[in-house]
Amino acid sequence: RRDSAMSTHRTLPSKWAVGVVLALAVVCALAAVGQHAVRRTEMESSPTDPRKVALERTLHALESRLSATKGKSAGSKLAEWEDVLDHAAPESTGSEEPLHPAPGIHRLPGEAWTAEDQDAYDAEVQRAVGETDHEYDEHQLPSPLTPISDPKMQKEYAKNMVRMMKQLNAGYIGELLTWAESGSETENDFIAPLVEGIEAPLVKELDAEAHKKVTETVHEIGLRKDLSAAEMKKMRARLLVPLLLRIRARVHQQVEVYTVQMLRKVIVEYAKDDDKGVNPNAFIPPAGGEEKKPTPDQELEYSLRDIDALHAKGVLSDADYEAQKSKVLSDWLGLAIKDIGGKEKARKALEEFLWPPIMTKDGCRCLLPFKYDVPELKGKMIEYRECTDIGSPGVAWCAVDPDDKNCGQESEDKRAHEGEDGLGWTRWDECVTQPEQEEEGEETVAAEEQEPVKVRTERGCTCRLPFEFYPQNMGGQRKLMMTACTTLGGVGAHWCATEGSCGRNGNPETGKPDHSLSWTHWDKCIGEPAGYLLPEPEKKKTVQGCECRETWKFAPRDIGHEVVYGGCTDADSPGTAWCAVDGHKCGTTSEDPKAGTGHGKYGWTKWDICEKDEQPTEVQEDLEKGMLPHPVPFVRTESGCSCMLPWDISTAETGNKLQTQYTCQRYDANFAWCPVNEKNCGHDSVMYGKAHTGKGGWGWTHWDKCVGDPPGFLAPEKTPVLTAKGCKCKVPWKYEPASIPGHEVTYVGCADIDSPNKAWCAVDPELSDPDCGMKSEDSKANLHGYGWTHWDYCMEEVQAHEQGELPEPVEEVKTLNGCTCKMPYEITPSDVGVTQTFTTCNRYGIAHGGTHTYWWCPVTDPSCGRKSTFPSGEVVFWDKCVGEPAGYLEPKPVLTEQGCECLLPFEFGPDVLKDMEPNRFTYTSCIDIQSSHAGAWCATRGACGTPSVNANAHTGPDGYGWTHWDKCKEQPEARPALPDGQPALPAVMPKLRTQHGCACKLPFEYAPARDCSIEDKEEAACEAQGGDMQGGWCVTCVSHTYTECVREDQEAAWCAVDGECGVKSKDYKSKLPLSEGGYGWDHWDHCIGEPAGFMEPPSQEVSAKAETHQLAHRQTAGTGVQVESVTKKEVHGARGRDAPKEEEDGDQKEEIKDLAKRMSLSIKSLDKKIQKLDQEAVAPRGAAVSFSLLFLALASALALVAGRAE
């Protein structure tokens, strides 16, 4: 060695070794000189072998370069890459000039390789292949020809060596240490298995790189030299074979030395910390020698280099070389054994390094292996070789070594003792090393990157992880990928699918083979290794502090049969999560008849709303915004399928527009449903033509009912639409209108098709009584046709609006083809000849005049609907109306007895109300006010019917706009009479219009004047019999029930009204509460005759009643007490809000006549009542009273007439 500075720090293992090595060196040097001379003579006398010479020189050059690799700088090409052509030359054919070594190429190991050497070497190689005039593009190998000098690779090979040693038998360590202590010169057979195990992956990697680089190099040279395929194949062989041999030799030597270095390092490190042993986590593999003073590792390297140099010069034979190298290695390892205190300590150091004791959190030593009687496996004894989490999934524990007295926790197991039939241990503790818990959001390592773990089972099988499973309590369709042992399936213990045919056969839930699974056998897990038992899910809490049952049954209304739930659901209460709870004390008692225990029952009685964290509030808010949770959950259906989310659909309930849905919907049904992901699960979507996966389709073919698991994905239940008879409308419903034959229309609410302004709907056969409503006569009205059999008028009446005025709010009127009506619009019907403004669909003929059987309207979009032209040339884009929403169909013509058409609406002012305000009204149907024929009538179109004698019946200014009238063909149905003579009310009560726009209150109570009596009683007695004190007399009236507008005490028909609409009554009974005999109303108004059939017919007798039944003044004899103007006309109120004005003087005579007539009638009525009183009194007094009162009445009447005449 040339480095004198370094040599001063070197020491040989022993003094005698120095002498021996020097002596051998001198002898070998002399022998080498002699041999060189002999070889020279032989070469001169024998023919030269160019091939042998070229190969020998190339190998020498390679050795020099490999020896110099360690000393090259980071910027040198040699430090980074190796040129394949630097390691071997093409085989010579004899005609080529041999490869001559460049000056200075021959170096001993350790000599520096300079830049000049590199240039000379590259030039020689290029000359040998004929590339001296071409700048060669190097194809290079990576530097791992010297892998152990790389710190990262050192750690990797350290792990490999530990793994290899752990796999060797227990006696190996002792034999290895014996070899080291002996200082043997024999071949190190005990190190060979380790060397082979470590170098195998390295050699394989370098071989692959060598093949790749040689192939690329030969390919490039072949293109330049125009070589054939056979020539290129031979060149690859000549370059590759020596290169691979050299790689193996160099790698083997380095790994062999490295292995001994590792063993020595372990032993030395143990000596530094004899008490605690070696911490494998803190172990640092040996690094290259950078210290000024040689380390023991450097000393080994120097000794081995010396032996290599002597062997290279031929001083040492191959056998001596191997012996000397083994001697140095064994001495070097033996020195470490001696320093530590002998072979036993060295053995302990290696064993504890390879198999360190497992410690617990309390610092105890685990007793391994240990036995445990597993309760989950029904008391079966299992021997554990490492920490387990059986009984506590996710928390690893072990039995504590009995030598660690009082360490850990006392076991409660009866067999946890050291006796003959005991477990051999009494205490336990949690292990320091616990299974890694996967954090939320952490990405798991791909299966191919993970080292497979053998999870043991009860019968000695190995778990197949992951494995798929379809739990029956989730419908049997939901695929779960289990990465650990699970308790699903009702086995009563953790289990897993097993490899091969080991364990129990079939599906653990059914006990039968399941061809849908990729595995055939399963077994119970024992918790070894720890971390592969899925913990039991935590029970969910409720608002009352209860605990939800782990699994429970319930039959939702939408499903109709039992479904198994786990945790919370919002079935039957969309948006509010609830669950069945444990026990019989906490929660709310269920009213479900199947709630309870016993045969046919759910098995639970109480339920409660889940706590706030379990409510789907945030999920629903996101879904309303079109945002699905990530990942998308498995939304379960009735058949166990999973909802396809999101999904598209176009139906009547979406306005026939394609919409994207993010939850289960109730379109065309009363239950929540969704398309499913599975192809053969659920139901075929035959009801939708676009439910397919082809072009233009919605992307799904099957659907199923949703069960509310997880909560938050059920659409709210539909708000029921009620009918007049209390039925529930079917939503949606189908119907083929008589006005649009051949077209089946889908409605989502009430419609007035075929009955303008009178909305109706189909009755839902599922939500209503079977016979609710009216039986339809339509041939399609059956469960297989329309899907309904009965219909009824809707409870909410249509608010008709006048033609030309849009109602508020304005609604969007749809047509048969989904167009939108243009409202308002103007057209000029040919039969009318005048432009009219419409705010409804009309039936006027377009092209040929007349009327159609259907209703139509112009549409807003010219591309929608149809195009037609009026005779006037006006072009219109239009479509047929379907009656939805109700209230936008022009009423059908109402016919009269003379075949006329009613002019609807029409204006009219009844004579009986002419002196009041308002006194002109617009009617939309036949009326029966001012009808001398006691029937319903209407104004007619044109000059058809009977000419009217009304002064306002003309088409000029201030006229009604019509001149003729007629009796309507269809008259109101006669209503049967009740016992009191009043007509019975119809089942559907229409709104009766009044003068001031009120609605009549029918039936209503009223006491007419004709049924009132006057008595002389005290106030207390009067009140006791329901009377009212007026002027000191007790006035008592009898109430009657009325079911129509009446003329009692009024000239015009009237009725009681709700609220404060109309005129406030002054009748004393209107002021009393119902409990005290009051009417229950305090306002009234005049009826105007619409609709017809609810007005008392006028007659002479009724008119006389109104005048006769009035209480006149009355005075008792001798007391001067007078009954003041007790008349129903005054008490009930004036004719209207505005009393009639005083007549002019010229009309006073007529008024006096009227007063006289009325007074005469009043006197007669009063006389009858006086006679009645006289009969009840003493005869003499009665006669006196009778004559006195009669005289006073006549005097009063004459005075009144005289006063009015004045």
Side-chain angles (χ1 to χ4, degrees), residues 647-650 653-655 657-661 667:
W647 53 287
D648 293 335
I649 190 173
S650 172
E653 293 181 75
T654 65
K657 295 179 181 178
L658 187 66
Q659 290 185 0
T660 300
Q661 310 298 326
Y667 295 140

Side-chain angles (χ1 to χ4, degrees), residues 1066-1187:
K1066 297 178 182 179
D1067 192 307
Y1068 77 96
K1069 280 198 172 186
S1070 68
K1071 302 174 184 178
L1072 297 177
L1074 281 172
S1075 59
E1076 298 179 12
Y1079 294 149
W1081 53 267
D1082 58 3
H1083 281 67
W1084 64 279
D1085 201 12
H1086 287 116
C1087 301
I1088 63 172
E1090 186 180 31
F1094 290 87
M1095 183 173 289
E1096 184 182 36
S1099 67
Q1100 297 280 335
E1101 182 182 355
V1102 172
S1103 179
K1105 284 182 183 179
E1107 301 294 342
T1108 303
H1109 295 141
Q1110 298 186 33
L1111 299 182
H1113 295 280
R1114 167 180 174 174
Q1115 181 175 325
T1116 57
T1119 61
V1121 178
Q1122 178 177 326
V1123 180
E1124 300 177 355
S1125 304
V1126 185
T1127 65
K1128 278 287 179 179
K1129 191 169 184 179
E1130 291 296 327
V1131 174
H1132 191 44
R1135 296 183 181 179
R1137 289 183 179 176
D1138 299 321
K1141 298 179 181 180
E1142 294 293 333
E1143 300 289 347
E1144 297 295 333
D1145 293 339
D1147 298 329
Q1148 286 184 352
K1149 291 182 179 181
E1150 292 297 326
E1151 184 179 358
I1152 290 172
K1153 290 180 181 180
D1154 182 57
L1155 286 172
K1157 181 181 178 182
R1158 290 167 56 191
M1159 184 57 65
S1160 175
L1161 293 173
S1162 178
I1163 290 172
K1164 289 180 182 179
S1165 176
L1166 182 58
D1167 184 54
K1168 290 181 181 180
K1169 292 184 180 293
I1170 291 172
Q1171 289 176 7
K1172 183 178 181 181
L1173 290 173
D1174 289 344
Q1175 293 173 0
E1176 297 173 358
V1178 181
R1181 184 185 177 205
V1185 171
S1186 176
F1187 284 116

